[in-house]
Amino acid sequence: NKEEPTVIEFGDDQKRLLCGGETQLYLNSLSSREMESLTAICDTFLPSITVSDFNDDSVTMFYRSSASMAGTPEQLGILISERLKHPKKWLMRVTLWLLSTCMGSFILCGRATLSSRFPFFQSFPQLSQQKRENLLLSWSLSYFYLIRMFFKSMKILICLVFFTQIDEKNQNLSWKAIDYCGPDPEFKSKQLNRSRDNKLHEKEVNNGDCEKEESLGPLYRGLVDLRLPRDIVAENLQQYGFPVSVQRRKTKDANLSSPSLIIQCDAVVVGSGSGGGVVAGVLAKAGYKVLVLEKGTYCARSNLSLLEGPTMDQMYLSGGLLATDDMGVIVLAGSTVGGGSAIKWAASVQTPRHVINEWSDQHGLELFDSKLYKEATTVVCHKMGVQSEFEDEGFNNAILRRGCEELGYPVENIPRNSTPDHYCGWCCLGCKDGRKKGTSETWLVELVDSGNGVILPGCKAIKVLHKRKRGTARTTATGVAFEVEYKGTKDICFVESKVSIVACGAIRTPTLLKKSGLKSANIGKNLHLHPVTMAWGYFPDTPVSSTSTAWLEGKKSYEGGIMTAMSTVVSNFNKSGYGALIQTPGLHPGMFSSLMPCVSGTDMKNRMCRFSRTAHIFALARDKGSGILNSPHSISYNMEPIDEEHLQKGLEKVLRILAAAGAEEIGTHHSKDKTINVKKVSSHEFERFVKVESSRPLRDLSTQICSAHQMGSCRMGIDPKRSVVNQMGETWEVEGLYVADTSVFPTALGVNPMVTVQAIAYCTAQSVLQVLWRKKSRC
């Protein structure tokens, strides 16, 4: 009994390379039974609630609108069918099917499904709203891990879809009610004016490089669209100085034995983020021909949407839906031209001295205490314009700073790769004006300006090519095979190069190396995630006590620089080097709602109406625990007890900071959803609350853990038996094959990794330059 597939379009209608690629079509393949259960669960989390005491029509409409009225189940069905790649997705679908049956519901829900009327059993969709809510709450704390995992998955996905889905006017029915403006109003105004100007002055825009760069972004001259006919692609690449040959297919289907294009260059770089972008820029500026392969698309400044849902689908790895196998950690990583640097929160902290000492002394890596590494750090910080000043501080950071100052905790400015006047809370959705200096605004611009490099977006590297070196057991890298969409089918192309650099990130690089035939047991192991847990505080517009919060007047939680302040109060930098760093996140409605605990439909809507005045602060642990990458979509991760302890200590400080800054109410993300009104309790009650809530277990799915930093899965070392690459960044197994991303980190870093990965990549680029120079000298 399967319904006809529902077809919904995602993405921009403009099918241009500079807008992030063509519109994608997704299908809903869930059965009618699965959709029946999914709809019931959606309406349990977000029901229609009758209200009469609101003067604001938008708030009234928000409460009266259920998830099914908004079309959320259909959107979610598509997401589960096509975009969700989690290895346990099958279990989710089986559970949805079981809940649509009376017996399956009895097995999963127990006595709540019993009825006094024939047939004496009810399926989950037939239960009352109150019974369904009670069941969901019991699932969140169930003894059975798989039940907790199902609850967690459903809550995250339902809330994420409901609060990010948009209509034809790019609006969401909840946004006005929760005091969220959607995309940056200033950016929307500029887009509208630019659109009018382009229509009036199309010829002038087309003839002026400055206007083109402003409209299309600084990389427009260095992009090659591989969706064009092969002869045109070859001609475009030849104009950049790359020898290209167009091959006739020997078979109907594309495969490695019959590539359609063979491109020659000095160096091929897979990935354009903070590692690959640096290497590509350095090599091209030195005069070598460099080809950059990027799986993601290019989102030019003016063509960004700054919409949370579409941006996650377009610019994040796996559409922002990546999680560990047990759903214990949500993993966010970039997948676009510029990689993580395009959607990072601008924090640019140098490698801490205790980490340099550890990597140099305990791991024997002399590189990190060398003159070259110091030079690399200076160069990359200068290139990114790293500085620590700001003209105005956003809501979350102002609260973190004030709370630390009240308590006497250390608090300092975060160095950022953006200007002091960069007051933008949308950086996690792309940089609207180029003032955040990611690789697409720095190193990749250098690549394009040199005339020696091009970027091929929308390419998926499938194998590093290598051949056995004569007279030795080692092999030598000869290039990369990649896959591209061409005329609705997959096409295979080759890049022949003197050196190959893999910089796909700590999640994707191990998979590519394994597919390429590398056998090291260390590939994919030792994955560190910098686990993060958060607490929240509500700061009403009108203070309810004598403690003034006038310094927060007019500020909203999603506006302003995402990171400008941090505290090292529990970082333990001066002793073991392992602890927790306290910082602030950037949360728009989708992520905010998916993380906040929920005990009922009414409770969720009440919380969301306080969205713009709810601050979040997190503790980030330098984890000793690690994980294994089983596949691009399968991550097993174990957080050690000491990591949990560090996060708990950090959480305790965060709750105190929020209270000291003047929060009316505080709480954590634990499923039990215990909160306290700071203004109405005694100091004894407050202390008890902080102690209990900060000591709750974190490794049992009752509190959501997040990660925005992944590292160590192809770590650097001096022993081939314990590492994947040497100090030059070259793999032990294949000569001429280098890795230049966070996967080479020997351990977890403990701070935001952007400066460190760029510094390491810069050093790796110097090693590659020496190899290319020697090869050139022999020719």
Side-chain angles (χ1 to χ4, degrees):
N1 294 326
K2 216 171 196 181
E3 295 177 338
E4 287 294 315
T6 304
V7 179
I8 290 185
E9 291 190 1
F10 289 84
D12 197 304
D13 288 333
Q14 302 179 50
K15 298 179 179 181
R16 295 192 297 130
L17 186 66
L18 298 167
C19 296
E22 296 185 0
T23 301
Q24 295 187 61
L25 298 177
Y26 295 102
L27 301 177
N28 181 0
S29 63
L30 266 63
S31 68
S32 58
R33 280 187 174 276
E34 289 172 288
M35 285 302 301
E36 184 183 3
S37 296
L38 185 62
T39 300
I41 295 173
C42 286
D43 282 348
T44 306
F45 278 112
L46 294 163
S48 174
I49 301 169
T50 302
V51 292
S52 58
D53 54 348
F54 291 116
N55 296 323
D56 191 328
D57 290 342
S58 65
V59 177
T60 301
M61 184 181 73
F62 170 50
Y63 273 85
R64 289 181 178 176
S65 298
S66 66
S68 59
M69 291 167 64
T72 299
E74 291 76 18
Q75 297 274 4
L76 183 52
I78 292 164
L79 184 150
I80 294 172
S81 301
E82 295 278 348
R83 296 162 57 202
L84 186 65
K85 305 297 182 183
H86 195 275
K88 290 191 173 63
K89 181 173 78 170
W90 66 272
L91 192 58
M92 176 189 295
R93 296 191 62 169
V94 168
T95 305
L96 288 173
W97 186 88
L98 285 171
L99 288 173
S100 71
T101 68
C102 292
M103 281 298 98
S105 296
F106 177 69
I107 292 170
L108 294 171
C109 306
R111 289 182 296 176
T113 61
L114 297 180
S115 170
S116 59
R117 297 180 180 178
F118 183 82
F120 309 116
F121 291 95
Q122 292 178 305
S123 66
F124 183 85
Q126 294 173 325
L127 299 176
S128 67
Q129 171 72 16
Q130 187 60 56
K131 281 188 175 182
R132 295 201 308 265
E133 283 188 353
N134 291 340
L135 283 170
L136 288 183
L137 187 59
S138 69
W139 289 351
S140 70
L141 301 168
S142 172
Y143 174 80
F144 298 102
Y145 194 91
L146 291 178
I147 296 293
R148 297 201 304 275
M149 190 166 70
F150 177 75
F151 167 84
K152 183 69 69 174
S153 303
M154 285 288 98
K155 180 197 175 279
I156 290 172
L157 293 175
I158 291 167
C159 291
L160 187 65
V161 171
F162 181 86
F163 290 101
T164 61
Q165 63 189 72
I166 51 175
D167 58 23
E168 63 280 357
K169 295 181 180 179
N170 287 342
Q171 292 295 313
N172 179 287
L173 66 84
S174 71
W175 286 353
K176 188 174 180 181
I178 67 176
D179 195 20
Y180 179 65
C181 65
D184 184 356
E186 180 184 334
F187 178 70
K188 286 194 291 187
S189 177
K190 284 183 178 180
Q191 274 189 317
L192 182 61
N193 292 335
R194 185 181 290 114
S195 177
R196 290 171 180 167
D197 291 343
N198 285 351
K199 290 178 181 178
L200 293 172
H201 307 291
E202 187 173 346
K203 290 184 179 179
E204 289 81 357
V205 171
N206 286 339
N207 291 330
D209 283 346
C210 292
E211 289 89 347
K212 275 188 177 180
E213 182 167 327
E214 174 63 25
S215 176
L216 306 178
L219 302 181
Y220 79 96
R221 290 176 289 110
L223 297 166
V224 174
D225 189 350
L226 292 174
R227 296 167 300 173
L228 297 173
R230 304 295 82 176
D231 290 338
I232 295 177
V233 172
E235 183 180 338
N236 289 342
L237 287 166
Q238 287 165 355
Q239 288 177 354
Y240 287 100
F242 292 89
V244 183
S245 61
V246 180
Q247 307 289 308
R248 286 187 178 181
R249 260 194 207 165
K250 298 176 182 177
T251 59
K252 184 177 179 180
D253 297 325
N255 56 63
L256 291 173
S257 65
S258 58
S260 64
L261 286 178
I262 297 178
I263 313 166
Q264 294 180 333
C265 63
D266 292 314
V268 57
V269 180
V270 184
S272 60
S274 290
V278 173
V279 176
V282 170
L283 299 185
K285 187 177 181 181
Y288 295 100
K289 287 294 179 182
V290 181
L291 204 63
V292 178
L293 308 180
E294 171 55 54
K295 177 177 176 288
T297 55
Y298 177 54
C299 301
R301 297 174 197 158
S302 61
N303 291 319
L304 294 168
S305 70
L306 299 188
L307 291 163
E308 187 179 12
T311 297
M312 292 183 74
D313 189 34
Q314 189 176 52
M315 299 180 72
Y316 281 73
L317 186 61
S318 299
L321 302 174
L322 188 63
T324 54
D325 291 352
D326 62 359
M327 284 299 297
V329 184
I330 294 175
V331 180
L332 296 177
S335 182
T336 183
V337 172
S341 71
I343 45 92
K344 288 295 187 187
W345 302 344
S348 304
V349 184
Q350 294 189 21
T351 316
R353 185 69 238 180
H354 65 270
V355 175
I356 289 176
N357 292 340
E358 181 181 333
W359 291 355
S360 177
D361 299 338
Q362 296 181 29
H363 292 265
L365 295 165
E366 299 175 356
L367 167 69
F368 294 101
D369 205 18
S370 68
K371 182 179 178 181
L372 174 61
Y373 191 74
K374 292 175 185 176
E375 173 194 327
T377 301
T378 301
V379 169
V380 300
C381 286
H382 176 74
K383 178 71 68 176
M384 290 191 290
V386 175
Q387 56 83 43
S388 301
E389 301 304 315
F390 57 87
E391 292 183 1
D392 192 12
E393 194 157 43
F395 186 79
N396 293 321
N397 287 274
I399 288 167
L400 169 58
R401 191 179 300 276
R402 176 61 67 95
C404 286
E405 289 173 348
E406 291 290 328
L407 295 168
Y409 296 166
V411 62
E412 56 193 79
N413 291 0
I414 295 181
R416 300 183 297 155
N417 64 328
S418 58
T419 55
D421 63 344
H422 192 60
Y423 188 80
C424 175
W426 284 266
C427 272
C428 52
L429 308 177
C431 184
K432 63 183 180 181
D433 52 23
R435 285 186 288 176
K436 184 181 73 174
K437 300 300 180 182
T439 60
S440 58
E441 302 288 343
T442 52
W443 299 99
L444 293 177
V445 175
E446 200 160 85
L447 168 92
V448 172
D449 289 347
S450 71
N452 293 316
V454 296
I455 304 163
L456 306 181
C459 301
K460 180 182 178 182
I462 56 177
K463 186 176 183 179
V464 176
L465 305 173
H466 50 94
K467 63 182 179 181
R468 188 169 298 281
K469 191 175 181 181
R470 187 178 300 174
T472 69
R474 290 192 73 189
T475 59
T476 302
T478 59
V480 172
F482 67 89
E483 187 179 78
V484 67
E485 192 85 19
Y486 177 58
K487 292 185 177 180
T489 61
K490 301 293 183 184
D491 196 21
I492 304 293
C493 304
F494 281 2
V495 179
E496 294 180 349
S497 61
K498 297 173 184 175
V499 293
S500 302
I501 299 95
V502 175
C504 311
I507 301 296
R508 291 288 184 172
T509 288
T511 300
L512 179 56
L513 295 185
K514 286 181 179 180
K515 284 185 176 180
S516 303
L518 276 70
K519 304 297 184 184
S520 172
N522 297 292
I523 297 174
K525 294 184 178 180
N526 311 301
L527 175 69
H528 298 282
L529 296 179
H530 276 175
V532 161
T533 188
M534 307 185 200
W536 57 269
Y538 173 55
F539 294 76
D541 290 309
T542 305
V544 295
S545 70
S546 58
T547 303
S548 175
T549 54
W551 47 281
L552 284 176
E553 186 176 354
K555 293 183 183 291
K556 297 179 181 180
S557 63
Y558 56 90
E559 295 178 337
I562 296 175
M563 285 185 164
T564 53
M566 68 178 180
S567 177
T568 58
V569 64
V570 288
S571 63
N572 212 13
F573 280 0
N574 296 324
K575 294 181 181 179
S576 70
Y578 284 84
L581 194 64
I582 294 177
Q583 296 177 327
T584 61
L587 296 178
H588 289 260
M591 288 302 295
F592 177 98
S593 61
S594 64
L595 294 174
M596 288 293 282
C598 171
V599 295
S600 69
T602 302
D603 175 67
M604 173 55 74
K605 293 195 173 184
N606 290 342
R607 288 180 183 280
M608 291 307 298
C609 284
R610 306 197 306 183
F611 161 72
S612 68
R613 297 291 293 186
T614 299
H616 272 85
I617 301 176
F618 66 73
L620 176 153
R622 184 189 180 201
D623 46 332
K624 287 193 172 185
S626 63
I628 299 174
L629 275 161
N630 305 305
S631 75
H633 306 292
S634 176
I635 305 170
S636 57
Y637 178 76
N638 293 308
M639 188 166 63
E640 290 191 1
I642 189 66
D643 302 326
E644 183 178 39
E645 183 181 328
H646 291 153
L647 287 176
Q648 290 169 334
K649 288 181 179 179
L651 200 56
E652 184 234 330
K653 298 297 184 185
V654 169
L655 288 168
R656 295 185 185 281
I657 288 168
L658 289 164
E664 176 184 303
E665 186 178 2
I666 59 174
T668 67
H669 287 166
H670 192 276
S671 295
K672 285 190 174 179
D673 190 30
K674 301 296 183 182
T675 69
I676 192 169
N677 189 313
V678 181
K679 311 296 182 183
K680 296 180 179 180
V681 297
S682 66
S683 59
H684 174 74
E685 289 173 309
F686 172 76
E687 289 296 329
R688 184 175 181 277
F689 175 84
V690 170
K691 182 178 180 181
V692 171
E693 294 307 308
S694 63
S695 62
R696 292 191 185 278
L698 300 175
R699 294 180 292 160
D700 59 358
L701 265 192
S702 60
T703 298
Q704 187 59 61
I705 304 295
C706 302
S707 167
H709 307 150
Q710 304 85 43
M711 65 214 89
S713 54
C714 294
R715 65 182 177 187
M716 181 181 289
I718 58 174
D719 182 358
K721 295 180 180 180
R722 300 185 62 190
S723 58
V724 178
V725 301
N726 59 26
Q727 294 190 70
M728 282 73 75
E730 188 177 29
T731 61
W732 293 107
E733 294 181 68
V734 179
E735 186 177 307
L737 173 58
Y738 295 80
V739 177
D741 55 34
T742 55
S743 66
V744 304
F745 286 15
T747 68
L749 181 65
V751 298
N752 310 78
M754 188 158 54
V755 170
T756 299
V757 66
Q758 291 204 15
I760 295 175
Y762 182 87
C763 295
T764 298
Q766 305 310 309
S767 300
V768 175
L769 281 176
Q770 293 180 23
V771 171
L772 289 173
W773 182 83
R774 287 197 297 268
K775 288 179 180 286
K776 186 176 182 180
S777 299
R778 289 198 295 266
C779 294

